[in-house]
């Protein structure tokens, strides 16, 4: 019973990760070419293919999500500074 419960917990975490990444697919789609062109030369020079591929894909996914967070922060900052400015 413990094995089944822990297996369900692991599957639940994998599902939550997939859902979280799925919410950000637009930014991943938009910015992956940026990482495809710039990070490819840096990451693919590590020398071991089994290490290069996961790092490359993680860079594309996490980098795109980071750009999304930065854009939202800048939008919030601009809107708040515009709404609450002193004239």
């Amino acid at each position: 019973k413990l094995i089944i419960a822990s297996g369900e917990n692991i599957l639940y975490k994998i599902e939550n990760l997939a859902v979280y990444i799925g919410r950000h697919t637009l930014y991943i789609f938009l910015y992956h070419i940026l990482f495809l062109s710039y990070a490819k030369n840096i990451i693919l020079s590590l020398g071991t293919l089994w290490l290069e591929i996961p790092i490359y894909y993680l860079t594309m996914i996490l980098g795109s999500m980071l750009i999304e967070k930065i854009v939202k922060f800048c939008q919030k900052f601009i809107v708040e500074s515009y709404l609450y400015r002193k004239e």
Side-chain angles (χ1 to χ4, degrees):
K1 193 169 187 174
L2 180 62
I3 294 172
I4 293 172
S6 65
E8 289 176 359
N9 192 17
I10 292 170
L11 291 176
Y12 182 71
K13 288 180 181 181
I14 292 171
E15 178 186 7
N16 283 340
L17 178 64
V19 168
Y20 182 76
I21 291 174
R23 287 186 197 137
H24 305 282
T25 53
L26 177 63
Y27 282 92
I28 293 170
F29 174 73
L30 289 174
Y31 294 117
H32 81 279
I33 195 69
L34 174 74
F35 296 102
L36 183 65
S37 59
Y38 290 114
K40 184 169 116 177
N41 296 331
I42 297 168
I43 294 172
L44 294 181
S45 64
L46 294 174
T48 56
L49 191 62
W50 63 271
L51 185 62
E52 294 169 353
I53 293 173
I55 291 175
Y56 178 63
Y57 283 108
L58 280 173
T59 303
M60 283 198 314
I61 291 171
L62 296 177
S64 298
M65 291 168 67
L66 179 66
I67 289 174
E68 177 186 9
K69 299 291 183 187
I70 292 171
V71 167
K72 285 185 180 181
F73 174 77
C74 291
Q75 286 174 343
K76 181 181 175 187
F77 179 75
I78 291 169
V79 167
E80 286 178 357
S81 64
Y82 180 74
L83 287 177
Y84 303 114
R85 69 179 180 184
K86 295 180 181 178
E87 294 179 5

